[in-house]
Amino acid sequence: AKASCDATYENMDGTIYKTMTYAGETHEQKDASCCRHCKTDPGCEFWVRETDSDKCILMKDFYGPAEPSAPSEKRRLRPGT
């Protein structure tokens, strides 16, 4: 269940469900903003917060680890399970 907004730094791959924008000053605030979008959308299973933009990508259909991405490009995160 999506009870927590603690972020994990896992490379996770799945299907892009929706793209939103996040807000906040710190990484924790930005993670929480992105996580809230996922927690409040029944179709979202996990989320990816891009660190070089304000995009929060809601994902579904997890199918395994993604190829590693450069730390400056993306931070793949998900709500605690």
Side-chain angles (χ1 to χ4, degrees):
K2 299 184 242 178
S4 170
C5 274
D6 292 338
T8 62
Y9 298 87
E10 296 177 48
N11 285 322
M12 301 173 69
D13 218 345
T15 304
I16 294 175
Y17 170 64
K18 231 183 246 187
T19 300
M20 312 290 280
T21 57
Y22 64 80
E25 297 294 321
T26 67
H27 285 298
E28 291 78 14
Q29 289 170 345
K30 293 172 182 179
D31 290 346
S33 174
C34 194
C35 181
R36 275 192 300 274
H37 286 305
C38 189
K39 277 181 69 172
T40 58
D41 191 314
C44 179
E45 294 176 12
F46 63 102
W47 48 277
V48 175
R49 180 172 71 81
E50 294 191 350
T51 58
D52 59 352
S53 74
D54 65 351
K55 287 184 181 166
C56 173
I57 303 167
L58 306 187
M59 306 286 288
K60 64 179 183 176
D61 304 327
F62 171 73
Y63 53 79
E67 290 298 313
S69 58
S72 62
E73 292 174 354
K74 280 190 182 172
R75 197 159 146 197
R76 291 180 178 270
L77 307 165
R78 68 175 181 166
T81 52

PDB file of all heavy atoms in Angstrom, residues 42-76:
ATOM      1  N   PRO A  42      -5.364   6.462  -7.916  1.00  0.00           N
ATOM      2  CA  PRO A  42      -5.445   5.005  -7.787  1.00  0.00           C
ATOM      3  C   PRO A  42      -4.686   4.248  -8.872  1.00  0.00           C
ATOM      4  O   PRO A  42      -4.285   3.102  -8.666  1.00  0.00           O
ATOM      5  CB  PRO A  42      -6.946   4.704  -7.886  1.00  0.00           C
ATOM      6  CG  PRO A  42      -7.642   5.995  -7.691  1.00  0.00           C
ATOM      7  CD  PRO A  42      -6.683   7.085  -8.054  1.00  0.00           C
ATOM      8  N   GLY A  43      -4.452   4.855 -10.025  1.00  0.00           N
ATOM      9  CA  GLY A  43      -3.759   4.174 -11.104  1.00  0.00           C
ATOM     10  C   GLY A  43      -2.243   4.189 -10.985  1.00  0.00           C
ATOM     11  O   GLY A  43      -1.554   3.487 -11.713  1.00  0.00           O
ATOM     12  N   CYS A  44      -1.714   4.988 -10.050  1.00  0.00           N
ATOM     13  CA  CYS A  44      -0.270   5.124  -9.910  1.00  0.00           C
ATOM     14  C   CYS A  44       0.281   4.052  -8.982  1.00  0.00           C
ATOM     15  O   CYS A  44      -0.220   3.864  -7.880  1.00  0.00           O
ATOM     16  CB  CYS A  44       0.070   6.511  -9.365  1.00  0.00           C
ATOM     17  SG  CYS A  44       1.833   6.766  -9.114  1.00  0.00           S
ATOM     18  N   GLU A  45       1.332   3.351  -9.422  1.00  0.00           N
ATOM     19  CA  GLU A  45       1.980   2.329  -8.598  1.00  0.00           C
ATOM     20  C   GLU A  45       3.311   2.818  -8.019  1.00  0.00           C
ATOM     21  O   GLU A  45       3.694   2.428  -6.933  1.00  0.00           O
ATOM     22  CB  GLU A  45       2.197   1.064  -9.411  1.00  0.00           C
ATOM     23  CG  GLU A  45       0.895   0.390  -9.817  1.00  0.00           C
ATOM     24  CD  GLU A  45       1.120  -0.806 -10.714  1.00  0.00           C
ATOM     25  OE1 GLU A  45       2.264  -1.269 -10.857  1.00  0.00           O
ATOM     26  OE2 GLU A  45       0.128  -1.271 -11.304  1.00  0.00           O
ATOM     27  N   PHE A  46       4.032   3.632  -8.777  1.00  0.00           N
ATOM     28  CA  PHE A  46       5.278   4.231  -8.277  1.00  0.00           C
ATOM     29  C   PHE A  46       5.559   5.476  -9.092  1.00  0.00           C
ATOM     30  O   PHE A  46       4.824   5.797 -10.015  1.00  0.00           O
ATOM     31  CB  PHE A  46       6.452   3.237  -8.304  1.00  0.00           C
ATOM     32  CG  PHE A  46       6.851   2.737  -9.665  1.00  0.00           C
ATOM     33  CD1 PHE A  46       7.962   3.258 -10.312  1.00  0.00           C
ATOM     34  CD2 PHE A  46       6.137   1.725 -10.289  1.00  0.00           C
ATOM     35  CE1 PHE A  46       8.350   2.782 -11.557  1.00  0.00           C
ATOM     36  CE2 PHE A  46       6.524   1.242 -11.527  1.00  0.00           C
ATOM     37  CZ  PHE A  46       7.626   1.777 -12.165  1.00  0.00           C
ATOM     38  N   TRP A  47       6.586   6.219  -8.714  1.00  0.00           N
ATOM     39  CA  TRP A  47       6.818   7.507  -9.354  1.00  0.00           C
ATOM     40  C   TRP A  47       8.297   7.771  -9.575  1.00  0.00           C
ATOM     41  O   TRP A  47       9.149   7.191  -8.928  1.00  0.00           O
ATOM     42  CB  TRP A  47       6.190   8.632  -8.540  1.00  0.00           C
ATOM     43  CG  TRP A  47       6.476   8.611  -7.071  1.00  0.00           C
ATOM     44  CD1 TRP A  47       5.805   7.871  -6.125  1.00  0.00           C
ATOM     45  CD2 TRP A  47       7.484   9.332  -6.371  1.00  0.00           C
ATOM     46  NE1 TRP A  47       6.344   8.098  -4.883  1.00  0.00           N
ATOM     47  CE2 TRP A  47       7.384   9.003  -4.998  1.00  0.00           C
ATOM     48  CE3 TRP A  47       8.468  10.239  -6.750  1.00  0.00           C
ATOM     49  CZ2 TRP A  47       8.219   9.531  -4.033  1.00  0.00           C
ATOM     50  CZ3 TRP A  47       9.302  10.778  -5.779  1.00  0.00           C
ATOM     51  CH2 TRP A  47       9.158  10.414  -4.435  1.00  0.00           C
ATOM     52  N   VAL A  48       8.558   8.627 -10.553  1.00  0.00           N
ATOM     53  CA  VAL A  48       9.913   9.031 -10.914  1.00  0.00           C
ATOM     54  C   VAL A  48       9.948  10.556 -10.863  1.00  0.00           C
ATOM     55  O   VAL A  48       9.127  11.207 -11.502  1.00  0.00           O
ATOM     56  CB  VAL A  48      10.272   8.552 -12.341  1.00  0.00           C
ATOM     57  CG1 VAL A  48      11.638   9.094 -12.761  1.00  0.00           C
ATOM     58  CG2 VAL A  48      10.232   7.034 -12.431  1.00  0.00           C
ATOM     59  N   ARG A  49      10.879  11.092 -10.091  1.00  0.00           N
ATOM     60  CA  ARG A  49      11.028  12.547 -10.054  1.00  0.00           C
ATOM     61  C   ARG A  49      12.286  12.917 -10.817  1.00  0.00           C
ATOM     62  O   ARG A  49      13.369  12.490 -10.471  1.00  0.00           O
ATOM     63  CB  ARG A  49      11.118  13.061  -8.613  1.00  0.00           C
ATOM     64  CG  ARG A  49      11.273  14.571  -8.570  1.00  0.00           C
ATOM     65  CD  ARG A  49      11.161  15.124  -7.171  1.00  0.00           C
ATOM     66  NE  ARG A  49      12.281  14.816  -6.314  1.00  0.00           N
ATOM     67  CZ  ARG A  49      13.444  15.488  -6.320  1.00  0.00           C
ATOM     68  NH1 ARG A  49      13.657  16.470  -7.175  1.00  0.00           N
ATOM     69  NH2 ARG A  49      14.401  15.143  -5.485  1.00  0.00           N
ATOM     70  N   GLU A  50      12.123  13.706 -11.876  1.00  0.00           N
ATOM     71  CA  GLU A  50      13.276  14.164 -12.631  1.00  0.00           C
ATOM     72  C   GLU A  50      13.938  15.305 -11.870  1.00  0.00           C
ATOM     73  O   GLU A  50      13.263  16.205 -11.383  1.00  0.00           O
ATOM     74  CB  GLU A  50      12.854  14.605 -14.029  1.00  0.00           C
ATOM     75  CG  GLU A  50      12.349  13.444 -14.866  1.00  0.00           C
ATOM     76  CD  GLU A  50      12.175  13.795 -16.324  1.00  0.00           C
ATOM     77  OE1 GLU A  50      12.260  14.981 -16.669  1.00  0.00           O
ATOM     78  OE2 GLU A  50      11.953  12.863 -17.106  1.00  0.00           O
ATOM     79  N   THR A  51      15.250  15.269 -11.775  1.00  0.00           N
ATOM     80  CA  THR A  51      15.962  16.298 -11.015  1.00  0.00           C
ATOM     81  C   THR A  51      16.410  17.463 -11.887  1.00  0.00           C
ATOM     82  O   THR A  51      16.840  18.477 -11.364  1.00  0.00           O
ATOM     83  CB  THR A  51      17.188  15.699 -10.294  1.00  0.00           C
ATOM     84  OG1 THR A  51      18.049  15.117 -11.262  1.00  0.00           O
ATOM     85  CG2 THR A  51      16.756  14.668  -9.262  1.00  0.00           C
ATOM     86  N   ASP A  52      16.312  17.320 -13.212  1.00  0.00           N
ATOM     87  CA  ASP A  52      16.710  18.413 -14.091  1.00  0.00           C
ATOM     88  C   ASP A  52      15.506  19.164 -14.658  1.00  0.00           C
ATOM     89  O   ASP A  52      15.630  19.950 -15.584  1.00  0.00           O
ATOM     90  CB  ASP A  52      17.612  17.895 -15.218  1.00  0.00           C
ATOM     91  CG  ASP A  52      16.942  16.831 -16.077  1.00  0.00           C
ATOM     92  OD1 ASP A  52      15.829  16.378 -15.711  1.00  0.00           O
ATOM     93  OD2 ASP A  52      17.521  16.440 -17.101  1.00  0.00           O
ATOM     94  N   SER A  53      14.323  18.905 -14.095  1.00  0.00           N
ATOM     95  CA  SER A  53      13.099  19.602 -14.490  1.00  0.00           C
ATOM     96  C   SER A  53      12.139  19.516 -13.304  1.00  0.00           C
ATOM     97  O   SER A  53      12.515  19.048 -12.236  1.00  0.00           O
ATOM     98  CB  SER A  53      12.469  18.949 -15.725  1.00  0.00           C
ATOM     99  OG  SER A  53      11.857  17.722 -15.378  1.00  0.00           O
ATOM    100  N   ASP A  54      10.900  19.967 -13.484  1.00  0.00           N
ATOM    101  CA  ASP A  54       9.907  19.835 -12.409  1.00  0.00           C
ATOM    102  C   ASP A  54       8.909  18.729 -12.721  1.00  0.00           C
ATOM    103  O   ASP A  54       7.784  18.737 -12.257  1.00  0.00           O
ATOM    104  CB  ASP A  54       9.200  21.169 -12.170  1.00  0.00           C
ATOM    105  CG  ASP A  54       8.376  21.629 -13.362  1.00  0.00           C
ATOM    106  OD1 ASP A  54       8.467  21.016 -14.454  1.00  0.00           O
ATOM    107  OD2 ASP A  54       7.634  22.618 -13.214  1.00  0.00           O
ATOM    108  N   LYS A  55       9.342  17.735 -13.508  1.00  0.00           N
ATOM    109  CA  LYS A  55       8.444  16.653 -13.904  1.00  0.00           C
ATOM    110  C   LYS A  55       8.419  15.533 -12.877  1.00  0.00           C
ATOM    111  O   LYS A  55       9.447  15.048 -12.429  1.00  0.00           O
ATOM    112  CB  LYS A  55       8.856  16.076 -15.253  1.00  0.00           C
ATOM    113  CG  LYS A  55       8.537  16.983 -16.405  1.00  0.00           C
ATOM    114  CD  LYS A  55       8.887  16.319 -17.706  1.00  0.00           C
ATOM    115  CE  LYS A  55       8.579  17.261 -18.854  1.00  0.00           C
ATOM    116  NZ  LYS A  55       9.192  16.801 -20.098  1.00  0.00           N
ATOM    117  N   CYS A  56       7.210  15.138 -12.550  1.00  0.00           N
ATOM    118  CA  CYS A  56       6.937  13.984 -11.702  1.00  0.00           C
ATOM    119  C   CYS A  56       6.182  12.996 -12.589  1.00  0.00           C
ATOM    120  O   CYS A  56       5.078  13.292 -13.044  1.00  0.00           O
ATOM    121  CB  CYS A  56       6.075  14.410 -10.515  1.00  0.00           C
ATOM    122  SG  CYS A  56       5.517  13.042  -9.505  1.00  0.00           S
ATOM    123  N   ILE A  57       6.790  11.861 -12.850  1.00  0.00           N
ATOM    124  CA  ILE A  57       6.186  10.888 -13.758  1.00  0.00           C
ATOM    125  C   ILE A  57       5.548   9.771 -12.945  1.00  0.00           C
ATOM    126  O   ILE A  57       6.225   9.074 -12.190  1.00  0.00           O
ATOM    127  CB  ILE A  57       7.239  10.334 -14.734  1.00  0.00           C
ATOM    128  CG1 ILE A  57       7.873  11.493 -15.506  1.00  0.00           C
ATOM    129  CG2 ILE A  57       6.600   9.324 -15.687  1.00  0.00           C
ATOM    130  CD1 ILE A  57       9.120  11.109 -16.257  1.00  0.00           C
ATOM    131  N   LEU A  58       4.246   9.651 -13.071  1.00  0.00           N
ATOM    132  CA  LEU A  58       3.514   8.593 -12.390  1.00  0.00           C
ATOM    133  C   LEU A  58       3.596   7.341 -13.256  1.00  0.00           C
ATOM    134  O   LEU A  58       3.388   7.392 -14.461  1.00  0.00           O
ATOM    135  CB  LEU A  58       2.058   9.006 -12.169  1.00  0.00           C
ATOM    136  CG  LEU A  58       1.826  10.341 -11.453  1.00  0.00           C
ATOM    137  CD1 LEU A  58       0.342  10.524 -11.160  1.00  0.00           C
ATOM    138  CD2 LEU A  58       2.649  10.471 -10.203  1.00  0.00           C
ATOM    139  N   MET A  59       3.922   6.216 -12.620  1.00  0.00           N
ATOM    140  CA  MET A  59       4.176   4.977 -13.350  1.00  0.00           C
ATOM    141  C   MET A  59       3.241   3.861 -12.878  1.00  0.00           C
ATOM    142  O   MET A  59       2.726   3.899 -11.767  1.00  0.00           O
ATOM    143  CB  MET A  59       5.622   4.536 -13.116  1.00  0.00           C
ATOM    144  CG  MET A  59       6.675   5.578 -13.438  1.00  0.00           C
ATOM    145  SD  MET A  59       6.949   5.851 -15.193  1.00  0.00           S
ATOM    146  CE  MET A  59       7.796   4.339 -15.642  1.00  0.00           C
ATOM    147  N   LYS A  60       3.088   2.868 -13.738  1.00  0.00           N
ATOM    148  CA  LYS A  60       2.336   1.655 -13.393  1.00  0.00           C
ATOM    149  C   LYS A  60       3.001   0.481 -14.084  1.00  0.00           C
ATOM    150  O   LYS A  60       3.960   0.655 -14.841  1.00  0.00           O
ATOM    151  CB  LYS A  60       0.868   1.794 -13.801  1.00  0.00           C
ATOM    152  CG  LYS A  60       0.651   1.920 -15.295  1.00  0.00           C
ATOM    153  CD  LYS A  60      -0.821   2.016 -15.626  1.00  0.00           C
ATOM    154  CE  LYS A  60      -1.012   2.064 -17.134  1.00  0.00           C
ATOM    155  NZ  LYS A  60      -2.425   2.069 -17.495  1.00  0.00           N
ATOM    156  N   ASP A  61       2.501  -0.704 -13.839  1.00  0.00           N
ATOM    157  CA  ASP A  61       2.986  -1.927 -14.487  1.00  0.00           C
ATOM    158  C   ASP A  61       4.488  -2.129 -14.296  1.00  0.00           C
ATOM    159  O   ASP A  61       5.227  -2.327 -15.262  1.00  0.00           O
ATOM    160  CB  ASP A  61       2.652  -1.927 -15.991  1.00  0.00           C
ATOM    161  CG  ASP A  61       1.165  -1.760 -16.264  1.00  0.00           C
ATOM    162  OD1 ASP A  61       0.362  -2.250 -15.445  1.00  0.00           O
ATOM    163  OD2 ASP A  61       0.807  -1.135 -17.268  1.00  0.00           O
ATOM    164  N   PHE A  62       4.936  -2.098 -13.060  1.00  0.00           N
ATOM    165  CA  PHE A  62       6.353  -2.339 -12.771  1.00  0.00           C
ATOM    166  C   PHE A  62       6.781  -3.649 -13.390  1.00  0.00           C
ATOM    167  O   PHE A  62       6.131  -4.661 -13.238  1.00  0.00           O
ATOM    168  CB  PHE A  62       6.572  -2.377 -11.251  1.00  0.00           C
ATOM    169  CG  PHE A  62       7.952  -2.827 -10.857  1.00  0.00           C
ATOM    170  CD1 PHE A  62       9.043  -1.997 -11.040  1.00  0.00           C
ATOM    171  CD2 PHE A  62       8.154  -4.084 -10.328  1.00  0.00           C
ATOM    172  CE1 PHE A  62      10.318  -2.411 -10.686  1.00  0.00           C
ATOM    173  CE2 PHE A  62       9.421  -4.516  -9.971  1.00  0.00           C
ATOM    174  CZ  PHE A  62      10.508  -3.661 -10.150  1.00  0.00           C
ATOM    175  N   TYR A  63       7.881  -3.639 -14.158  1.00  0.00           N
ATOM    176  CA  TYR A  63       8.341  -4.891 -14.744  1.00  0.00           C
ATOM    177  C   TYR A  63       9.821  -5.158 -14.546  1.00  0.00           C
ATOM    178  O   TYR A  63      10.382  -5.999 -15.218  1.00  0.00           O
ATOM    179  CB  TYR A  63       7.945  -5.021 -16.212  1.00  0.00           C
ATOM    180  CG  TYR A  63       8.320  -3.890 -17.122  1.00  0.00           C
ATOM    181  CD1 TYR A  63       9.613  -3.742 -17.632  1.00  0.00           C
ATOM    182  CD2 TYR A  63       7.359  -2.969 -17.502  1.00  0.00           C
ATOM    183  CE1 TYR A  63       9.929  -2.713 -18.491  1.00  0.00           C
ATOM    184  CE2 TYR A  63       7.673  -1.942 -18.359  1.00  0.00           C
ATOM    185  CZ  TYR A  63       8.965  -1.820 -18.859  1.00  0.00           C
ATOM    186  OH  TYR A  63       9.260  -0.789 -19.715  1.00  0.00           O
ATOM    187  N   GLY A  64      10.456  -4.475 -13.634  1.00  0.00           N
ATOM    188  CA  GLY A  64      11.833  -4.816 -13.316  1.00  0.00           C
ATOM    189  C   GLY A  64      12.722  -3.598 -13.232  1.00  0.00           C
ATOM    190  O   GLY A  64      12.279  -2.481 -13.444  1.00  0.00           O
ATOM    191  N   PRO A  65      13.975  -3.836 -12.929  1.00  0.00           N
ATOM    192  CA  PRO A  65      14.920  -2.731 -12.815  1.00  0.00           C
ATOM    193  C   PRO A  65      15.146  -2.059 -14.165  1.00  0.00           C
ATOM    194  O   PRO A  65      15.175  -2.726 -15.199  1.00  0.00           O
ATOM    195  CB  PRO A  65      16.204  -3.400 -12.327  1.00  0.00           C
ATOM    196  CG  PRO A  65      15.818  -4.755 -11.876  1.00  0.00           C
ATOM    197  CD  PRO A  65      14.559  -5.119 -12.596  1.00  0.00           C
ATOM    198  N   ALA A  66      15.293  -0.740 -14.143  1.00  0.00           N
ATOM    199  CA  ALA A  66      15.590   0.018 -15.355  1.00  0.00           C
ATOM    200  C   ALA A  66      17.094   0.095 -15.545  1.00  0.00           C
ATOM    201  O   ALA A  66      17.859  -0.165 -14.624  1.00  0.00           O
ATOM    202  CB  ALA A  66      15.003   1.419 -15.246  1.00  0.00           C
ATOM    203  N   GLU A  67      17.497   0.480 -16.724  1.00  0.00           N
ATOM    204  CA  GLU A  67      18.907   0.754 -16.951  1.00  0.00           C
ATOM    205  C   GLU A  67      19.318   1.909 -16.043  1.00  0.00           C
ATOM    206  O   GLU A  67      18.550   2.855 -15.866  1.00  0.00           O
ATOM    207  CB  GLU A  67      19.135   1.154 -18.419  1.00  0.00           C
ATOM    208  CG  GLU A  67      18.951   0.012 -19.390  1.00  0.00           C
ATOM    209  CD  GLU A  67      19.937  -1.122 -19.141  1.00  0.00           C
ATOM    210  OE1 GLU A  67      21.135  -0.846 -18.987  1.00  0.00           O
ATOM    211  OE2 GLU A  67      19.497  -2.278 -19.096  1.00  0.00           O
ATOM    212  N   PRO A  68      20.492   1.864 -15.470  1.00  0.00           N
ATOM    213  CA  PRO A  68      20.927   2.969 -14.613  1.00  0.00           C
ATOM    214  C   PRO A  68      20.939   4.285 -15.382  1.00  0.00           C
ATOM    215  O   PRO A  68      21.289   4.326 -16.545  1.00  0.00           O
ATOM    216  CB  PRO A  68      22.351   2.567 -14.210  1.00  0.00           C
ATOM    217  CG  PRO A  68      22.413   1.104 -14.435  1.00  0.00           C
ATOM    218  CD  PRO A  68      21.460   0.793 -15.555  1.00  0.00           C
ATOM    219  N   SER A  69      20.486   5.332 -14.713  1.00  0.00           N
ATOM    220  CA  SER A  69      20.469   6.647 -15.343  1.00  0.00           C
ATOM    221  C   SER A  69      21.482   7.546 -14.635  1.00  0.00           C
ATOM    222  O   SER A  69      21.854   7.291 -13.503  1.00  0.00           O
ATOM    223  CB  SER A  69      19.074   7.263 -15.261  1.00  0.00           C
ATOM    224  OG  SER A  69      18.660   7.359 -13.929  1.00  0.00           O
ATOM    225  N   ALA A  70      21.914   8.568 -15.323  1.00  0.00           N
ATOM    226  CA  ALA A  70      22.860   9.504 -14.715  1.00  0.00           C
ATOM    227  C   ALA A  70      22.168  10.223 -13.562  1.00  0.00           C
ATOM    228  O   ALA A  70      21.018  10.634 -13.699  1.00  0.00           O
ATOM    229  CB  ALA A  70      23.337  10.502 -15.759  1.00  0.00           C
ATOM    230  N   PRO A  71      22.834  10.382 -12.428  1.00  0.00           N
ATOM    231  CA  PRO A  71      22.201  11.011 -11.261  1.00  0.00           C
ATOM    232  C   PRO A  71      21.652  12.403 -11.542  1.00  0.00           C
ATOM    233  O   PRO A  71      20.665  12.807 -10.954  1.00  0.00           O
ATOM    234  CB  PRO A  71      23.326  11.069 -10.229  1.00  0.00           C
ATOM    235  CG  PRO A  71      24.298  10.037 -10.655  1.00  0.00           C
ATOM    236  CD  PRO A  71      24.179   9.935 -12.155  1.00  0.00           C
ATOM    237  N   SER A  72      22.265  13.133 -12.474  1.00  0.00           N
ATOM    238  CA  SER A  72      21.782  14.480 -12.767  1.00  0.00           C
ATOM    239  C   SER A  72      20.528  14.476 -13.627  1.00  0.00           C
ATOM    240  O   SER A  72      19.859  15.491 -13.750  1.00  0.00           O
ATOM    241  CB  SER A  72      22.873  15.283 -13.480  1.00  0.00           C
ATOM    242  OG  SER A  72      23.190  14.661 -14.702  1.00  0.00           O
ATOM    243  N   GLU A  73      20.208  13.343 -14.224  1.00  0.00           N
ATOM    244  CA  GLU A  73      19.071  13.300 -15.125  1.00  0.00           C
ATOM    245  C   GLU A  73      17.783  12.883 -14.424  1.00  0.00           C
ATOM    246  O   GLU A  73      16.772  13.534 -14.554  1.00  0.00           O
ATOM    247  CB  GLU A  73      19.342  12.319 -16.268  1.00  0.00           C
ATOM    248  CG  GLU A  73      20.429  12.787 -17.205  1.00  0.00           C
ATOM    249  CD  GLU A  73      20.774  11.753 -18.235  1.00  0.00           C
ATOM    250  OE1 GLU A  73      20.260  10.615 -18.161  1.00  0.00           O
ATOM    251  OE2 GLU A  73      21.573  12.067 -19.106  1.00  0.00           O
ATOM    252  N   LYS A  74      17.822  11.812 -13.674  1.00  0.00           N
ATOM    253  CA  LYS A  74      16.598  11.295 -13.064  1.00  0.00           C
ATOM    254  C   LYS A  74      16.900  10.685 -11.726  1.00  0.00           C
ATOM    255  O   LYS A  74      17.984  10.186 -11.484  1.00  0.00           O
ATOM    256  CB  LYS A  74      15.972  10.212 -13.948  1.00  0.00           C
ATOM    257  CG  LYS A  74      15.189  10.752 -15.078  1.00  0.00           C
ATOM    258  CD  LYS A  74      14.427   9.628 -15.736  1.00  0.00           C
ATOM    259  CE  LYS A  74      13.653  10.160 -16.918  1.00  0.00           C
ATOM    260  NZ  LYS A  74      13.055   9.120 -17.698  1.00  0.00           N
ATOM    261  N   ARG A  75      15.915  10.728 -10.913  1.00  0.00           N
ATOM    262  CA  ARG A  75      15.981  10.052  -9.630  1.00  0.00           C
ATOM    263  C   ARG A  75      14.744   9.189  -9.568  1.00  0.00           C
ATOM    264  O   ARG A  75      13.634   9.701  -9.495  1.00  0.00           O
ATOM    265  CB  ARG A  75      15.960  11.124  -8.557  1.00  0.00           C
ATOM    266  CG  ARG A  75      16.420  10.668  -7.233  1.00  0.00           C
ATOM    267  CD  ARG A  75      16.813  11.916  -6.479  1.00  0.00           C
ATOM    268  NE  ARG A  75      16.525  11.757  -5.090  1.00  0.00           N
ATOM    269  CZ  ARG A  75      16.452  12.762  -4.272  1.00  0.00           C
ATOM    270  NH1 ARG A  75      16.608  13.978  -4.703  1.00  0.00           N
ATOM    271  NH2 ARG A  75      16.240  12.550  -3.011  1.00  0.00           N
ATOM    272  N   ARG A  76      14.894   7.906  -9.639  1.00  0.00           N
ATOM    273  CA  ARG A  76      13.737   7.026  -9.680  1.00  0.00           C
ATOM    274  C   ARG A  76      13.330   6.685  -8.255  1.00  0.00           C
ATOM    275  O   ARG A  76      14.137   6.202  -7.472  1.00  0.00           O
ATOM    276  CB  ARG A  76      14.051   5.756 -10.469  1.00  0.00           C
ATOM    277  CG  ARG A  76      14.225   6.073 -11.922  1.00  0.00           C
ATOM    278  CD  ARG A  76      14.543   4.827 -12.697  1.00  0.00           C
ATOM    279  NE  ARG A  76      14.659   5.149 -14.096  1.00  0.00           N
ATOM    280  CZ  ARG A  76      13.657   5.135 -14.966  1.00  0.00           C
ATOM    281  NH1 ARG A  76      12.448   4.813 -14.586  1.00  0.00           N
ATOM    282  NH2 ARG A  76      13.858   5.454 -16.221  1.00  0.00           N
TER     283      ARG A  76
END
